[in-house]
Amino acid sequence: MLTIGCHLSSSKGYLAMGKEALKIDANTFQFFTRNPRGGNAKPLDLEDVSSFLDYARENGINRILAHAPYTLNPCSGDEKLRDFARRTMEDDLQRLEHTPGNYYNFHPGSHVKQEVEQGIAYIADALNQVLKPEQKTIVLLETMAGKGSEVGRNFEELREILDRVEQPGLMGVCLDTCHVWDGGYDIVEHLDEVVGEFDRVIGLGRLKAIHLNDSKNPLGAHKDRHAKIGEGYIGKDALIRIVNHPALKGLPFYLETPNELDGYKAEIALLRENYAG
Ligand code: FE
Ligand code: FE
Ligand code: ZN
């Protein structure tokens, strides 16, 4: 059974997202924990959370993915910005304890005017402060396209962060197909080699989720602009091979393609039709 969903707006709450997911034949989804540009989160509606948990159980929705605001920069050279990122992540993780057993994904950040090594050390510091041994959420580092000074432009940088985390069991990686393609990993012509390289550098056991996107730019462009499935340089066939790859097929897949619900529904249908089970 293919576990697939898309990014949904969290503005109407958890139950609304669950219902929306079902409407488009998704069995998981991703959402922002708060306004993607940061700021305060709405107070958690515990009644909504509890109705959602029942609904999700009854309808086979699982492994939902909470995405941190993409403006957080846990490796900024500015202590105030680092602090803000850490406090936001800590607050998100506390809230996510109400929906246990899921994932929290974040962008490692940009090291800007410092050495990448300093950035990596800051990210690991933040994680070592926010991870709690008893937490029920796995935190995922997202593979990045390497735009500007983004940390996570290759598997080695993610591995370096993971190596510095004191509770590695609480961590994993979310592989974004558009980002790795833009980062120079040829998942069209050499998917097996890229999967093998991920395994050698990070370990496939650490791979917990896939962001399934086409890319508006050619291999190695370091741009990060998502395209609809089949409308970019990666192409439909390569993305179908990805959902069917023996090392990946059991993972949850999340579409972050530029679509409204109808477009997501069509992409989910296409991928389900071409999933070998
Ligand atoms: Fe992301
Ligand atoms: Fe992504
Ligand atoms: Zn992206």
Side-chain angles (χ1 to χ4, degrees):
M1 171 79 153
L2 177 60
T3 303
I4 189 163
C6 65
H7 188 89
L8 295 175
S9 160
S10 54
S11 62
K12 295 194 198 99
Y14 277 100
L15 183 59
M17 288 191 283
K19 289 184 171 169
E20 224 162 54
L22 230 62
K23 240 191 265 173
I24 58 173
D25 200 21
N27 48 355
T28 187
F29 58 87
Q30 174 180 264
F31 61 102
F32 283 125
T33 52
R34 60 188 72 214
N35 183 312
R37 298 187 190 287
N40 287 328
K42 277 192 301 187
L44 202 58
D45 176 349
L46 293 179
E47 227 168 280
D48 173 54
V49 169
S50 121
S51 333
F52 166 72
L53 290 174
D54 289 340
Y55 187 84
R57 196 176 323 108
E58 285 156 16
N59 293 288
I61 294 172
N62 60 30
R63 293 189 279 172
I64 60 172
L65 177 54
H67 195 307
Y70 48 73
T71 47
L72 292 188
N73 191 1
C75 65
S76 169
D78 179 340
E79 194 186 337
K80 279 200 206 83
L81 295 181
R82 284 203 306 278
D83 217 54
F84 176 73
R86 187 181 44 73
R87 277 185 285 115
T88 302
M89 290 168 76
E90 199 157 43
D91 184 52
D92 280 348
L93 283 170
Q94 257 163 31
R95 295 154 58 91
L96 289 170
E97 286 301 287
H98 292 280
T99 49
N102 292 304
Y103 298 127
Y104 179 56
N105 173 67
F106 76 104
H107 295 181
S110 295
H111 57 89
V112 203
K113 289 176 194 127
Q114 334 153 69
E115 296 295 312
V116 61
E117 287 305 320
Q118 181 63 63
I120 286 169
Y122 280 146
I123 296 160
D125 269 0
L127 287 165
N128 286 329
Q129 290 181 63
V130 304
L131 294 172
K132 304 280 182 293
E134 67 280 7
Q135 75 181 48
K136 300 287 190 291
T137 300
I138 300 291
V139 177
L140 309 184
L141 292 163
E142 183 166 353
T143 59
M144 300 311 291
K147 198 172 53 174
S149 62
E150 275 174 349
V151 179
R153 60 193 293 125
N154 55 42
F155 300 157
E156 284 79 4
E157 290 186 3
L158 296 181
R159 166 68 194 262
E160 280 195 59
I161 298 169
L162 293 168
D163 279 347
R164 288 170 164 81
V165 174
E166 287 150 13
Q167 304 191 72
L170 299 176
M171 294 294 305
V173 170
C174 174
L175 184 147
D176 186 308
T177 57
C178 169
H179 297 178
V180 295
W181 170 259
D182 280 32
Y185 291 97
D186 189 353
I187 51 176
V188 176
E189 298 292 338
H190 299 283
L191 179 60
D192 280 337
E193 288 89 332
V194 174
V195 170
E197 192 170 340
F198 187 99
D199 194 30
R200 269 194 310 282
V201 177
I202 299 179
L204 281 170
R206 286 258 168 89
L207 183 57
K208 303 296 182 191
I210 307 271
H211 281 165
L212 197 70
N213 303 307
D214 212 325
S215 172
K216 288 195 171 148
N217 290 287
L219 179 67
H222 300 295
K223 286 277 207 295
D224 188 6
R225 294 191 60 219
H226 302 186
K228 294 181 188 181
I229 302 302
E231 294 189 10
Y233 280 86
I234 300 174
K236 186 180 90 173
D237 293 346
L239 291 162
I240 288 172
R241 284 196 295 274
I242 288 169
V243 298
N244 283 292
H245 191 283
L248 312 176
K249 61 189 301 181
L251 296 169
F253 294 87
Y254 307 87
L255 297 160
E256 300 175 309
T257 45
N259 275 306
E260 302 295 324
L261 275 191
D262 280 355
Y264 280 132
K265 185 175 181 176
E267 290 186 347
I268 289 169
L270 170 85
L271 293 159
R272 287 204 186 283
E273 277 159 28
N274 288 284
Y275 185 67

